Coordinates of all heavy atoms in Angstrom, one line a residue:
E1 N 0.9 -1.2 0.0 CA 0.1 0.0 0.0 C 0.9 1.2 0.0 O 2.0 1.3 0.6 CB -1.0 0.0 1.2 CG -0.3 0.1 2.5 CD -1.3 0.3 3.7 OE1 -2.4 0.8 3.4 OE2 -1.0 0.1 4.8
F2 N 0.3 2.3 -0.5 CA 1.0 3.5 -0.7 C 1.0 4.2 0.7 O 0.0 4.2 1.4 CB 0.3 4.5 -1.7 CG 0.7 5.9 -1.7 CD1 1.8 6.2 -2.4 CD2 -0.1 6.8 -1.0 CE1 2.3 7.6 -2.5 CE2 0.4 8.1 -1.1 CZ 1.6 8.5 -1.8
V3 N 2.0 4.8 1.1 CA 2.1 5.7 2.3 C 2.2 7.1 2.1 O 1.5 7.9 2.6 CB 3.3 5.1 3.2 CG1 3.4 5.9 4.4 CG2 3.1 3.6 3.5
A4 N 3.2 7.5 1.4 CA 3.5 9.0 1.1 C 4.3 9.1 0.0 O 5.2 8.3 -0.4 CB 4.1 9.5 2.4
S5 N 4.4 10.3 -0.7 CA 5.2 10.7 -1.7 C 5.5 12.1 -1.7 O 4.7 12.9 -1.3 CB 4.7 10.2 -3.1 OG 3.6 10.9 -3.5
R6 N 6.5 12.5 -2.3 CA 6.9 13.9 -2.4 C 7.8 14.2 -3.7 O 8.8 13.5 -4.0 CB 7.7 14.4 -1.3 CG 7.9 15.9 -1.2 CD 8.5 16.4 0.1 NE 8.6 17.8 0.1 CZ 8.9 18.6 1.1 NH1 9.1 18.0 2.4 NH2 9.0 19.9 1.0
S7 N 7.3 15.2 -4.5 CA 8.0 15.7 -5.6 C 8.2 17.2 -5.4 O 8.0 17.6 -4.3 CB 7.3 15.5 -6.9 OG 6.1 16.3 -6.9
G8 N 8.7 17.8 -6.4 CA 8.9 19.3 -6.3 C 7.7 20.1 -6.2 O 7.7 21.1 -5.6
I9 N 6.6 19.6 -6.5 CA 5.3 20.4 -6.5 C 4.2 19.7 -5.7 O 3.2 20.4 -5.4 CB 4.8 20.7 -7.9 CG1 4.6 19.4 -8.7 CG2 5.8 21.6 -8.6 CD1 4.0 19.7 -10.0
N10 N 4.2 18.4 -5.5 CA 3.1 17.7 -4.8 C 3.5 16.8 -3.7 O 4.7 16.2 -3.8 CB 2.4 16.8 -5.9 CG 1.6 17.7 -6.9 OD1 2.1 17.7 -8.0 ND2 0.6 18.5 -6.5
T11 N 2.7 16.8 -2.7 CA 3.0 15.9 -1.6 C 1.7 15.1 -1.2 O 0.6 15.8 -1.3 CB 3.4 16.6 -0.3 OG1 4.6 17.4 -0.5 CG2 3.7 15.6 0.9
Y12 N 1.7 13.8 -1.1 CA 0.6 12.9 -0.8 C 0.8 12.1 0.4 O 1.8 11.6 0.5 CB 0.3 12.1 -2.1 CG 0.0 12.8 -3.4 CD1 1.0 13.1 -4.2 CD2 -1.3 13.1 -3.7 CE1 0.7 13.8 -5.5 CE2 -1.6 13.7 -4.9 CZ -0.5 14.1 -5.8 OH -0.9 14.7 -6.9
Y13 N -0.3 11.9 1.1 CA -0.3 10.9 2.2 C -1.5 10.0 2.2 O -2.5 10.4 1.7 CB -0.2 11.7 3.6 CG 0.9 12.5 3.9 CD1 0.9 13.8 3.5 CD2 2.0 11.8 4.3 CE1 2.1 14.5 3.9 CE2 3.2 12.5 4.7 CZ 3.2 13.9 4.4 OH 4.3 14.6 4.7
A14 N -1.2 8.8 2.4 CA -2.5 7.9 2.7 C -3.3 8.4 3.9 O -2.7 8.9 4.9 CB -2.0 6.5 2.9
D15 N -4.6 8.2 3.8 CA -5.5 8.6 4.9 C -5.0 7.9 6.2 O -5.1 8.6 7.3 CB -6.9 8.2 4.6 CG -7.5 9.1 3.5 OD1 -7.0 10.1 3.2 OD2 -8.5 8.6 2.9
S16 N -4.5 6.7 6.2 CA -4.2 6.1 7.4 C -2.9 6.6 8.2 O -2.8 6.3 9.4 CB -3.9 4.6 7.2 OG -2.8 4.5 6.2
V17 N -2.2 7.4 7.5 CA -1.0 8.0 8.1 C -1.0 9.5 8.2 O -0.2 10.1 8.8 CB 0.3 7.5 7.5 CG1 0.4 6.1 7.4 CG2 0.4 8.2 6.1
K18 N -2.0 10.2 7.5 CA -2.1 11.6 7.5 C -2.1 12.2 8.8 O -2.9 11.8 9.7 CB -3.2 12.1 6.7 CG -3.1 13.5 6.2 CD -4.3 13.8 5.2 CE -4.2 15.2 4.8 NZ -5.2 15.5 3.6
G19 N -1.2 13.2 9.2 CA -1.2 13.8 10.5 C -0.2 13.2 11.4 O 0.1 13.7 12.4
R20 N 0.3 12.0 11.1 CA 1.2 11.2 11.9 C 2.6 11.0 11.3 O 3.6 11.1 11.9 CB 0.7 9.9 12.3 CG -0.6 9.9 13.1 CD -1.0 8.5 13.6 NE -1.2 7.5 12.4 CZ -0.5 6.5 12.2 NH1 0.5 6.1 13.2 NH2 -0.8 5.7 11.3
F21 N 2.5 10.9 10.0 CA 3.8 10.6 9.2 C 4.2 12.0 8.4 O 3.2 12.6 7.9 CB 3.7 9.5 8.2 CG 3.6 8.2 8.9 CD1 3.4 8.0 10.2 CD2 3.7 7.0 8.1 CE1 3.4 6.8 10.8 CE2 3.6 5.8 8.7 CZ 3.5 5.7 10.1
T22 N 5.5 12.2 8.2 CA 5.9 13.3 7.4 C 7.0 12.8 6.5 O 8.0 12.2 6.9 CB 6.4 14.5 8.2 OG1 5.3 14.9 9.1 CG2 6.8 15.6 7.3
I23 N 6.8 13.0 5.2 CA 7.9 12.7 4.2 C 8.7 14.0 3.8 O 8.1 15.0 3.8 CB 7.3 12.2 2.9 CG1 8.5 11.7 2.0 CG2 6.4 13.1 2.2 CD1 7.9 10.9 0.8
S24 N 10.0 13.9 3.8 CA 10.8 15.0 3.5 C 12.0 14.5 2.7 O 12.2 13.3 2.6 CB 11.3 15.7 4.8 OG 12.2 14.8 5.5
R25 N 12.7 15.4 2.1 CA 13.8 15.0 1.3 C 14.9 16.1 1.4 O 14.7 17.3 1.5 CB 13.4 14.8 -0.2 CG 12.8 16.0 -0.9 CD 12.2 15.7 -2.2 NE 13.0 15.2 -3.2 CZ 12.9 14.5 -4.2 NH1 11.5 14.3 -4.5 NH2 13.8 14.0 -5.1
D26 N 16.1 15.6 1.2 CA 17.3 16.5 1.3 C 18.1 16.1 0.0 O 18.8 15.1 -0.1 CB 18.2 16.1 2.5 CG 19.3 17.1 2.6 OD1 19.8 17.6 1.6 OD2 19.9 17.2 3.7
N27 N 17.9 17.0 -0.9 CA 18.5 16.6 -2.3 C 20.0 16.7 -2.3 O 20.7 16.1 -3.0 CB 18.0 17.7 -3.3 CG 16.5 17.5 -3.6 OD1 16.0 16.4 -3.5 ND2 15.9 18.5 -4.2
A28 N 20.6 17.6 -1.4 CA 22.0 17.6 -1.3 C 22.6 16.3 -0.9 O 23.8 16.1 -1.1 CB 22.4 18.7 -0.4
K29 N 21.9 15.5 0.0 CA 22.3 14.2 0.4 C 21.7 13.1 -0.2 O 22.0 12.0 0.1 CB 22.0 14.2 2.0 CG 22.7 15.2 2.9 CD 22.4 15.1 4.3 CE 23.1 16.0 5.1 NZ 22.8 15.9 6.7
N30 N 21.0 13.3 -1.3 CA 20.3 12.2 -2.0 C 19.6 11.3 -1.2 O 19.7 10.1 -1.2 CB 21.3 11.5 -2.9 CG 21.8 12.3 -4.0 OD1 21.3 13.3 -4.4 ND2 23.0 11.9 -4.6
T31 N 18.9 11.9 -0.2 CA 18.1 11.2 0.8 C 16.7 11.5 1.0 O 16.4 12.8 1.0 CB 18.8 11.2 2.1 OG1 20.3 10.7 2.0 CG2 18.2 10.3 3.2
V32 N 15.8 10.6 1.1 CA 14.4 10.9 1.5 C 14.1 10.3 2.9 O 14.6 9.1 3.1 CB 13.4 10.4 0.4 CG1 13.5 8.9 0.2 CG2 12.1 10.9 0.7
Y33 N 13.3 10.9 3.6 CA 12.9 10.5 4.9 C 11.5 10.3 5.2 O 10.7 10.9 4.5 CB 13.4 11.5 6.0 CG 14.9 11.8 5.9 CD1 15.3 12.9 5.2 CD2 15.9 11.1 6.5 CE1 16.7 13.3 5.0 CE2 17.2 11.4 6.4 CZ 17.6 12.5 5.7 OH 19.0 12.9 5.7

């Protein structure tokens, strides 16, 4: 199942995790959290 995603313009969360989970990214470190 889908949990979360992030691009340069859009962020999405599954209803089951919205408000509890946060997706972020650090392009300089080539890492997503």
Side-chain angles (χ1 to χ4, degrees):
E1 67 173 339
F2 173 83
V3 175
S5 69
R6 185 168 183 172
S7 69
I9 58 174
N10 294 111
T11 303
Y12 299 91
Y13 293 98
D15 289 342
S16 59
V17 307
K18 194 172 185 178
R20 299 188 298 120
F21 291 11
T22 302
I23 186 171
S24 62
R25 60 193 297 167
D26 187 337
N27 290 339
K29 297 181 178 179
N30 289 344
T31 302
V32 63
Y33 305 94

